[in-house]
Amino acid sequence: MNRRLWASATALVSTAALAVGLAAPAAAAPDPAARAPRQTAAEKTVAAMQPGWNLGNTLDSVGADETAWGNPRVTADLFDAVEDAGFNSVRIPATFGQHQGPAPEYAVDPVFLDRVEEVVDMALDEGLYVLLDVHHDSWQWVNQMPARHDEVVAQYDALWEQLAERFRDHSRRLLLESVNEPQFAGVDDAQAYALLDELNVRFHEIVRATGGRNADRVLVLPTLHTNAEQGRLDALTATFEALDDPNLAATVHYYGYWPFSVNVAGGYRYDATAQADTEGTFTRVHDSFVARGIPVILGEYGLLGFDRHTGTIEQGEKLKFFEHLGHLARTTGVTTMLWDNGQHLDRTTFEWQDPALFAQIEESWKRRSGTASTDQVFVTPGAVTDQTVTLQLHDYRVKDVRLDGRKLKDREYRLVGDQLTLPAALLERVVGTGAYGTRGVLEVRFSKGLPWRIEVVAADAPVLADATGTVEAFAVPTDFRGDRLATMEARYADGTNAGPHPWTSFKEFDVTFAPEDGHIVLRPAFFAEVTDGAPVSLTFHFWSGRTAEYTVTRTGTTVTGTVG
């Protein structure tokens, strides 16, 4: 709920209560039955798991062992580092399909099963809650359930019978998740909902039947695709109602508004559309589950572009996303589990690869932080003007503004409401006559939360040059002159869109183009969907607001590029 609306509602309730108190001679004792219901054991467990972290691309790897996707073998030191970072739980995805034998037993390789148990025990021994899930099996073989129903069900049942038996007496800090991101080939949503309901019910029956601590262990059920669209939530709600088991939790995943999440279709900013998508997701999840006493685990969250590298999204924009998401999770009572396939916490040094990003995530577990419309101000040497940045104060106040650690005096900047103006005199002093690039760093400090960092960048119009190359290796020589590439548009001469994702002129960052060492590289994936012999007009958009025009023509495997 909006904080101001909440405050207004609270004030109205308080006023009404005061009026009643003045009118009545005495107040009756509160009725215990009217109090808010106590948290169930499942709600307490899921709340205690906040925040959580994913051991991604490890036991879930499709390959010979847990190192198949590039991460080292798991050691107890890793979970020690996770716990030290403030996490209270870890999700351990495991893929079993390649480790299962043939029908009818579908026996799991005992060496792999022992290793899964060993890793689970390492995390439990560290004092962490653990969520174990059946992971890439969802697309390896579970998705064939419509065509091979009995075979898939038999394999699924056998798998969970073995897992339930293996973990029946483990600590109740171990939770089990039926299947990751369930999906079913060749059926519509109604049929898929029925199939998922069948799997979730079978999972529930199998685990509960093994007794021991499995009799009341918290079990976690996903929506279809682990998606938070209302239809998916409603279908899972029906399963919860039918099972009528207080020791259940729901799980969904969230990777943001898709154009922003991968930086395509002009979605390079965490703008109002992207924010509304995040808000809508948490509102639906809260209203569908949390408000009904069903605890929710956001089993994975992040940005999809991070699968390539975290630089696919501009730093300030991703910080705003994680700040907002953390706030919404905290205020709606959703437990979060950060997806990390090795791009966040270095599995060897146990250092966070982007400390500023982790600091933002960590702070969001406790409170909001002020943000701003941008974290970079571009100044053209010799043509310096005032620049204004809009602050998102989140009901805080600005304590001070610092430049490279030095507290600025009030006369050195102007602050009116949420508008921070950096006068030309200040900016000119910062950029001086030095080289292009970052010339100073401002920090806006708020009454609470993290400061907001703004780079002051000396920049001028980028200069491009003609080039030749091939569809496999083509790059536009670029003197960026301090500026930074935000996105790229591609159109044919008739105005239609060129390249992948033909429904938009804005192409996907890094998949089709990327700035690299004095060049803008055009990837083979871009030329793979460009018409042979048809010139393509490119518009490069830079973070300063500048644009640059360029034309490329593919002739067979040869590519020529010209300025303009």
Side-chain angles (χ1 to χ4, degrees):
M1 178 184 289
N2 179 282
R3 182 173 297 184
R4 291 177 180 172
L5 291 177
W6 179 87
S8 299
T10 302
L12 288 172
V13 171
S14 299
T15 302
L18 177 61
V20 171
L22 291 173
D31 179 4
R35 294 174 184 168
R38 293 182 178 178
Q39 279 191 319
T40 65
E43 288 176 301
K44 290 179 180 177
T45 294
V46 172
M49 294 170 66
Q50 172 66 6
W53 176 85
N54 271 270
L55 182 67
N57 285 22
T58 306
L59 293 175
D60 56 316
S61 299
V62 178
D65 64 14
E66 67 202 73
T67 68
W69 285 354
N71 282 315
R73 280 179 63 83
V74 178
T75 65
D77 289 341
L78 172 61
F79 294 119
D80 181 59
V82 169
E83 194 273 338
D84 285 348
F87 292 98
N88 291 316
S89 61
V90 59
R91 181 170 179 257
I92 300 179
T95 301
F96 293 90
Q98 72 270 26
H99 301 289
Q100 279 187 274
E105 291 83 6
Y106 295 105
V108 178
D109 178 357
V111 173
F112 183 71
L113 188 53
D114 287 348
R115 178 57 176 164
V116 171
E117 183 178 22
E118 181 182 25
V119 172
V120 167
D121 287 343
M122 286 180 192
L124 291 173
D125 290 345
E126 191 59 43
L128 295 163
Y129 285 83
V130 175
L131 175 57
L132 175 66
D133 88 283
V134 171
H135 206 72
H136 292 302
D137 304 81
S138 60
W139 58 262
Q140 283 186 318
W141 54 273
V142 172
N143 69 336
Q144 296 302 306
M145 189 175 173
R148 299 188 295 114
H149 177 274
D150 293 351
E151 182 182 347
V152 168
V153 166
Q155 184 173 354
Y156 183 82
D157 287 358
L159 175 57
W160 270 114
E161 285 165 1
Q162 293 170 80
L163 293 176
E165 186 62 36
R166 176 61 68 104
F167 292 105
R168 69 186 297 273
D169 295 320
H170 274 61
S171 164
R172 288 188 178 85
R173 285 186 290 109
L174 171 64
L175 291 74
L176 303 176
E177 178 183 341
S178 62
V179 62
N180 173 72
E181 298 181 355
Q183 53 194 277
F184 303 96
V187 296
D188 60 22
D189 280 355
Q191 294 168 299
Y193 292 148
L195 293 171
L196 177 57
D197 176 74
E198 180 180 357
L199 290 184
N200 278 333
V201 169
R202 299 184 81 90
F203 161 74
H204 177 264
E205 291 176 347
I206 289 167
V207 176
R208 290 285 184 253
T210 56
R213 288 174 175 155
N214 283 346
D216 58 2
R217 184 182 306 284
V218 177
L219 303 181
V220 181
L221 308 183
T223 60
L224 184 65
H225 299 290
T226 330
N227 176 274
E229 293 177 9
Q230 192 61 54
R232 275 63 161 133
L233 303 179
D234 292 343
L236 185 58
T237 298
T239 300
F240 277 105
E241 291 174 348
L243 291 175
D244 192 24
D245 182 340
N247 291 311
L248 298 178
T251 186
V252 297
H253 295 172
Y254 187 65
Y255 285 96
Y257 177 59
W258 184 69
F260 172 71
S261 189
V262 301
N263 195 346
V264 72
Y268 57 97
R269 291 186 183 275
Y270 188 54
D271 59 14
T273 301
Q275 293 170 38
D277 189 88
T278 309
E279 290 167 356
T281 294
F282 280 93
T283 297
R284 291 192 301 273
V285 167
H286 173 270
D287 293 351
S288 299
F289 295 134
V290 179
R292 302 184 188 189
I294 301 170
V296 175
I297 298 171
L298 188 64
E300 295 179 15
Y301 75 97
L303 292 168
L304 293 174
F306 284 2
D307 280 347
R308 298 182 68 81
H309 57 83
T310 59
T312 56
I313 314 296
E314 195 274 328
Q315 181 77 353
E317 302 303 315
K318 66 193 176 199
L319 292 181
K320 286 187 278 188
F321 168 77
F322 283 98
E323 191 281 331
H324 191 210
L325 183 147
H327 163 70
L328 292 171
R330 191 178 66 258
T331 54
T332 57
V334 173
T335 287
T336 60
M337 306 194 85
L338 176 68
W339 178 255
D340 188 352
N341 61 21
Q343 77 273 65
H344 294 308
L345 178 62
D346 189 290
R347 302 283 179 87
T348 302
T349 66
F350 307 130
E351 298 292 329
W352 292 94
Q353 299 191 55
D354 186 340
L357 175 58
F358 177 67
Q360 188 74 79
I361 294 170
E362 183 181 29
E363 188 73 8
S364 76
W365 302 334
K366 300 171 287 188
R367 62 179 68 86
R368 298 217 72 169
S369 289
T371 59
S373 54
T374 186
D375 67 336
Q376 46 190 351
V377 169
F378 293 88
V379 180
T380 304
V384 183
T385 59
D386 292 0
Q387 296 213 35
T388 298
V389 175
T390 300
L391 304 178
Q392 282 83 50
L393 295 169
H394 304 314
D395 296 331
Y396 297 155
R397 60 179 178 81
V398 175
K399 287 175 58 178
D400 58 56
V401 179
R402 297 178 181 241
L403 173 62
D404 296 332
R406 179 182 70 84
K407 182 178 177 180
L408 294 178
K409 297 176 181 178
D410 291 347
R411 66 174 181 271
E412 293 182 275
Y413 64 92
R414 295 193 298 275
L415 179 63
V416 180
D418 61 358
Q419 301 297 298
L420 173 65
T421 298
L422 306 174
L426 172 67
L427 297 176
E428 193 160 22
R429 191 169 76 243
V430 173
V431 299
T433 58
Y436 292 125
T438 300
R439 305 296 301 160
V441 176
L442 291 163
E443 273 195 346
V444 183
R445 295 175 175 254
F446 304 94
S447 52
K448 290 184 181 178
L450 297 179
W452 184 254
R453 184 177 184 271
I454 302 172
E455 291 183 64
V456 179
V457 184
D460 216 327
V463 177
L464 313 184
D466 296 349
T468 58
T470 70
V471 294
E472 296 296 324
F474 181 83
V476 181
T478 307
D479 182 357
F480 288 95
R481 304 175 80 191
D483 217 332
R484 298 167 182 176
L485 185 63
T487 189
M488 179 188 82
E489 290 186 88
R491 294 187 179 91
Y492 293 113
D494 63 1
T496 58
N497 301 324
H501 303 311
W503 47 272
T504 176
S505 62
F506 290 91
K507 304 297 103 175
E508 185 173 352
F509 193 97
D510 200 62
V511 171
T512 57
F513 71 96
E516 291 184 3
D517 299 326
H519 294 83
I520 299 174
V521 175
L522 301 185
R523 306 285 194 205
F526 173 72
F527 291 110
E529 298 186 44
V530 165
T531 301
D532 191 71
V536 177
S537 297
L538 305 177
T539 302
F540 296 110
H541 294 258
F542 297 88
W543 280 101
S544 67
R546 296 183 177 95
T547 60
E549 304 296 326
Y550 200 80
T551 301
V552 292
T553 304
R554 170 191 172 182
T555 306
T557 60
T558 300
V559 178
T560 57
T562 56
V563 176

